[in-house]
Amino acid sequence: MSRTKKNLLISMRASGIGVSRAYRFLENEAGSRQNVGFIRKDVYNELHRESRNVSKINNGDANSLVQYFTEKGMSDPSFYWKLKLSDEGRLEHLFFRDCRYLIDYQHFGDVVSIDVTYKMNKYDLICVPIIGINHHRTNVMFGMGFLCNEKTESYEWLFRTFLESMYKKQPGVIFSDQDMALMNALDYTFTEASHRLCQWHINKNAVKHFGKLNHDREFKTLWFRCMKGCESEEQFEECWRRMIEEHNLSKNKWFSNMYVLRKRWSTAFTREKFSGGLHATSRSEVTNRVLKELCSSTSSLHEFVLGFERMQKNWRTIELEEDTFCRGIPGMFVQHTRILVQVGKVCTRKVFKSFEYEAVQSISVNLTQEPPDLNDEVLEFKVESRSSVTGYRLVKFNQRS
């Protein structure tokens, strides 16, 4: 492949033209595929090699960003940033957060979502937004990192730097995908957190392992019940055993591996810590979609950071508007209910509506078994429940607490 054709392909790719279209253009120019001199796979390989070379961030771009962060640090002592250089003195990894990230993490850092599917096209950098949810149940940013590769040691550097910037405060729960390097780094770094796997990613990946079972309704029912329909470990074990035996999956390696990881993805094992109602990294994925719209494939790292800060400013404006809307007691479906009035005084609109829905649904619960002795310290009631695997729930009430 001549240098001229390489440059042409790189320019076309940077302009958003796909490899297939670019290769067809070369075919038309040459008169036939045989006259091009190389096949389409060669184009993919060459562009991949070029992207690895470009990933060594341009010194001018890096210096511009360093100067920008230095000036921000002088005007805002709470602004934190850190970078790691290669042996050749080139920028490899980067992390930054402003004072608002720190404040938000102190309030909302119970649950953290990390997704690494977005890459900055120009340098092929891995973009790692660290996301949470606030009191309006909308996204809030805790920090932003850029890595030159997806190795465990690179993720470890980022997460250690993040903890350093947050004065060593560990999150309660972390959601991530099933990338092994990422999982290892999270386990090594966030030793006090409960690490959970994204159910959405698991289901997306599971399709290729299900085979013919993708069309088996009974199997799908058992699978989703194992995922988030079991309320105890005993229920999960029974449901899993039934699924494996009835569908002859005892020798399937993927299912065996998922069983080993069951405490990371099944809700039957993840009730001990508050998770904000999350079961997936969808919070990060929404952010990734926004990031893709910020910059083109030729944007510099400095331009990307400026676009990212504009996005943050917009998020914070929306949060202030929501705070304004939450003044006063929200409208209620059931009027003059003391518990709803109390919740309405302390919760935001979205949280209140979620609580109100559950409160109204509780009215439809039917009591099927009363305690034998109402004088006992702990009373146990048996009630019908459509959302339970067994069709009922046991509700315990401690009269002294």
Side-chain angles (χ1 to χ4, degrees):
M1 190 183 302
S2 68
R3 186 69 242 179
T4 302
K5 289 184 177 179
K6 286 181 185 179
N7 291 336
L8 177 60
L9 287 166
I10 292 169
S11 298
M12 294 175 76
R13 191 71 187 92
S15 300
I17 299 174
V19 172
S20 295
R21 287 180 59 196
Y23 189 76
R24 283 199 299 271
F25 173 80
L26 293 178
E27 286 182 2
N28 294 333
E29 286 290 301
S32 69
R33 180 173 300 183
Q34 289 75 17
N35 295 335
V36 174
F38 47 87
I39 60 176
R40 190 176 304 175
K41 184 178 179 181
D42 295 326
V43 178
Y44 281 104
N45 292 338
E46 186 61 35
L47 290 175
H48 179 68
R49 281 193 292 270
E50 287 293 330
S51 68
R52 291 179 62 184
N53 292 331
V54 173
S55 67
K56 296 179 179 178
I57 301 170
N58 180 277
N59 277 331
D61 188 8
N63 290 337
S64 175
L65 188 61
V66 167
Q67 182 179 353
Y68 176 68
F69 281 163
T70 302
E71 292 173 356
K72 282 183 71 72
M74 293 174 65
S75 60
D76 178 8
S78 297
F79 181 77
Y80 181 99
W81 65 285
K82 190 173 184 179
L83 55 82
K84 182 179 182 298
L85 302 177
S86 66
D87 294 336
E88 295 80 24
R90 288 185 175 274
L91 180 62
E92 280 192 339
H93 308 326
L94 172 69
F95 171 82
F96 67 94
R97 64 122 181 98
D98 64 20
C99 61
R100 180 62 182 271
Y101 295 174
L102 175 63
I103 295 171
D104 285 339
Y105 184 70
Q106 298 303 316
H107 287 289
F108 310 118
D110 307 77
V111 184
V112 171
S113 177
I114 297 174
D115 184 73
V116 294
T117 57
Y118 177 71
K119 290 187 179 182
M120 184 181 174
N121 290 339
K122 182 173 181 178
Y123 298 123
D124 202 31
L125 284 171
I126 294 91
C127 183
V128 189
I130 302 175
I131 305 291
I133 53 175
N134 63 14
H135 51 315
H136 299 296
R137 295 193 61 78
T138 56
N139 279 8
V140 62
M141 189 71 66
F142 298 144
M144 171 61 82
F146 295 95
L147 302 175
C148 69
N149 59 56
E150 297 176 272
K151 296 180 180 179
T152 297
E153 52 266 32
S154 298
Y155 287 127
E156 281 190 72
W157 177 90
L158 175 63
F159 299 144
R160 284 198 305 268
T161 302
F162 171 77
L163 283 178
E164 180 182 286
S165 77
M166 298 299 181
Y167 305 111
K168 306 298 182 182
K169 179 187 175 181
Q170 297 243 355
V173 175
I174 298 177
F175 285 90
S176 78
D177 61 28
Q178 212 170 333
D179 178 84
M180 189 56 65
L182 177 61
M183 289 173 60
N184 289 337
L186 288 169
D187 288 343
Y188 295 155
T189 312
F190 297 107
T191 54
E192 299 175 20
S194 175
H195 180 198
R196 302 179 187 175
L197 296 176
C198 167
Q199 290 187 349
W200 183 86
H201 275 108
I202 290 175
N203 281 321
K204 184 179 180 181
N205 183 51
V207 173
K208 61 185 178 184
H209 298 283
F210 287 171
K212 295 180 179 179
L213 293 174
N214 277 305
H215 307 290
D216 190 317
R217 183 175 297 180
E218 184 181 350
F219 163 77
K220 284 291 192 67
T221 299
L222 291 172
W223 166 255
F224 286 113
R225 187 174 292 174
C226 287
M227 180 160 279
K228 51 186 176 183
C230 297
E231 298 180 0
S232 67
E233 296 182 21
E234 292 75 18
Q235 283 185 10
F236 173 88
E237 295 295 343
E238 174 58 28
C239 190
W240 185 270
R241 180 196 61 76
R242 180 182 165 190
M243 180 182 70
I244 297 298
E245 290 182 357
E246 291 183 1
H247 299 280
N248 194 27
L249 298 170
S250 59
K251 296 182 180 179
N252 186 294
K253 291 183 179 180
W254 186 83
F255 281 93
S256 298
N257 182 55
M258 292 308 300
Y259 181 77
V260 172
L261 297 172
R262 64 193 182 282
K263 294 184 178 180
R264 294 184 185 264
W265 56 266
S266 173
T267 55
F269 300 89
T270 58
R271 298 177 180 274
E272 78 286 354
K273 282 191 176 182
F274 172 76
S275 64
L278 295 185
H279 302 296
T281 60
S282 54
R283 293 286 170 176
S284 296
E285 289 154 12
V286 169
T287 303
N288 284 338
R289 288 199 295 270
V290 175
L291 293 176
K292 290 177 182 178
E293 299 173 359
L294 289 178
C295 300
S296 67
S297 58
T298 58
S299 297
S300 68
L301 186 58
H302 189 188
E303 290 171 334
F304 186 93
V305 169
L306 293 177
F308 177 76
E309 290 185 336
R310 288 194 296 270
M311 179 191 79
Q312 283 297 285
K313 186 176 181 180
N314 183 53
W315 280 12
R316 290 166 183 173
T317 300
I318 294 173
E319 182 178 329
L320 286 174
E321 292 174 351
E322 280 294 318
D323 287 340
T324 302
F325 293 147
C326 288
R327 293 175 182 173
I329 299 176
M332 298 181 183
F333 185 74
V334 181
Q335 298 292 323
H336 311 299
T337 305
R338 291 180 63 186
I339 187 171
L340 291 180
V341 172
Q342 181 183 0
V343 173
K345 290 179 179 179
V346 297
C347 292
T348 61
R349 290 191 307 167
K350 289 188 177 179
V351 173
F352 172 80
K353 288 301 178 184
S354 177
F355 181 88
E356 183 185 44
Y357 174 79
E358 292 195 16
V360 172
Q361 291 298 311
S362 69
I363 299 174
S364 64
V365 170
N366 295 317
L367 183 66
T368 59
Q369 179 180 309
E370 293 188 11
D373 188 352
L374 294 177
N375 294 319
D376 289 343
E377 180 180 343
V378 179
L379 304 181
E380 187 173 280
F381 300 85
K382 188 175 181 180
V383 298
E384 290 181 356
S385 175
R386 293 182 180 180
S387 60
S388 173
V389 175
T390 58
Y392 67 88
R393 279 192 170 93
L394 294 177
V395 180
K396 295 182 180 181
F397 173 63
N398 190 325
Q399 299 195 73
R400 292 188 179 180
S401 62

